[in-house]
């Protein structure tokens, strides 16, 4: 299936359906959203995302219901995927998100802005043709959080990834988002 951007409306539609299916089976899925879905749904800083990076538990039920939603709504089978798990910290900082009512079938959480920034700084993937990368998301969060220095971003990164050094590319991206008098 060709790439079809997932807009806020499309993600909400899919999550609502996922919640309906879970509720019909008498389960509540724990959905931890990350990445582009958070920037699209929570912050509105993106028009769309290519997929929904999420951990969904319980896994076996979630996998089956996510596949059903994909079939019913003509979404790619990997519209929800857990590829983000390679970037996660042992200690996460999340909050429940009630931006949209998904009913009893879903309990949705999102990372705090600090944790999301740490994740994006750790990944720091450059933009490529057809792929936005992490740079604009980092810049958005630096501005949203009103960070005043690269050191402030590094401190946030180190809260979650104390054994990983912040890459030079990440420092450069942060610096590019700072007010011109702080660079």
């Amino acid at each position: 299936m060709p790439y079809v951007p997932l807009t806020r409306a499309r993600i909400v539609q899919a999550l609502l359906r996922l919640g309906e299916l879970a509720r019909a089976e008498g389960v509540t899925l724990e959905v931890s959203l990350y990445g582009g879905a958070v920037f699209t749904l929570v912050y509105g800083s993106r028009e769309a995302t290519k997929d929904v990076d999420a951990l969904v538990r319980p896994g076996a039920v979630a996998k089956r219901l996510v596949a059903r939603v994909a079939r019913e709504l003509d979404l790619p089978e990997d519209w929800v995927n857990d590829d983000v798990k390679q970037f996660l910290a042992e200690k996460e900082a999340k909050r429940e998100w009630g931006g949209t009512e998904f009913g009893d079938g879903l309990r949705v959480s999102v990372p705090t802005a600090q944790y999301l920034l740490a994740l994006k700084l750790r990944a720091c993937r450059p933009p490529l043709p057809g792929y936005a990368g992490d740079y604009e998301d980092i810049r958005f969060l630096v501005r949203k959080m009103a960070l005043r220095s690269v050191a402030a971003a590094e401190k946030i990164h180190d809260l979650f990834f104390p054994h990983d050094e912040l890459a030079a590319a990440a420092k450069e991206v942060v610096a590019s988002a700072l007010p011109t008098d702080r660079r």
Side-chain angles (χ1 to χ4, degrees), residues 3-173:
Y3 166 71
V4 177
L6 296 173
T7 62
R8 183 182 202 289
R10 191 82 162 126
I11 296 169
V12 168
Q13 176 191 29
L15 290 176
L16 283 169
R17 182 61 182 144
L18 184 61
E20 289 170 359
L21 294 172
R23 187 173 47 255
E25 292 202 13
V27 298
T28 298
L29 297 177
E30 300 284 336
V31 180
S32 297
L33 297 174
Y34 302 92
V38 176
F39 288 96
T40 303
L41 288 172
V42 178
Y43 294 121
S45 64
R46 290 187 185 185
E47 292 292 318
T49 185
K50 69 180 181 65
D51 60 8
V52 174
D53 294 313
L55 299 182
V56 187
R57 293 185 178 93
V61 174
K63 195 172 239 179
R64 183 171 46 78
L65 297 180
V66 164
R68 182 170 168 188
V69 170
R71 286 189 306 275
E72 288 181 6
L73 300 181
D74 197 29
L75 295 169
E77 67 181 43
D78 65 346
W79 73 276
V80 170
N81 67 74
D82 64 2
D83 294 346
V84 71
K85 67 185 171 190
Q86 66 184 317
F87 297 110
L88 301 180
E90 281 185 37
K91 179 184 112 183
E92 294 188 78
K94 298 186 292 189
R95 61 182 173 86
E96 209 164 300
W97 181 62
T100 303
E101 181 55 50
F102 297 112
D104 297 333
L106 295 186
R107 185 168 307 127
V108 179
S109 64
V110 297
T112 62
Q114 283 191 334
Y115 183 46
L116 189 57
L117 177 62
L119 288 169
K120 287 292 184 175
L121 289 170
R122 185 172 193 221
C124 199
R125 296 163 294 197
L128 300 169
Y131 173 68
D134 297 309
Y135 292 7
E136 284 308 311
D137 293 338
I138 292 168
R139 289 181 185 113
F140 170 80
L141 287 169
V142 166
R143 289 188 294 267
K144 177 177 180 28
M145 297 168 67
L147 297 183
R148 308 300 280 165
S149 68
V150 172
E154 194 164 14
K155 184 175 179 181
I156 290 168
H157 173 267
D158 292 349
L159 285 172
F160 300 99
F161 303 106
H163 305 293
D164 294 350
E165 186 175 332
L166 189 59
K171 291 177 185 178
E172 289 174 21
V173 175

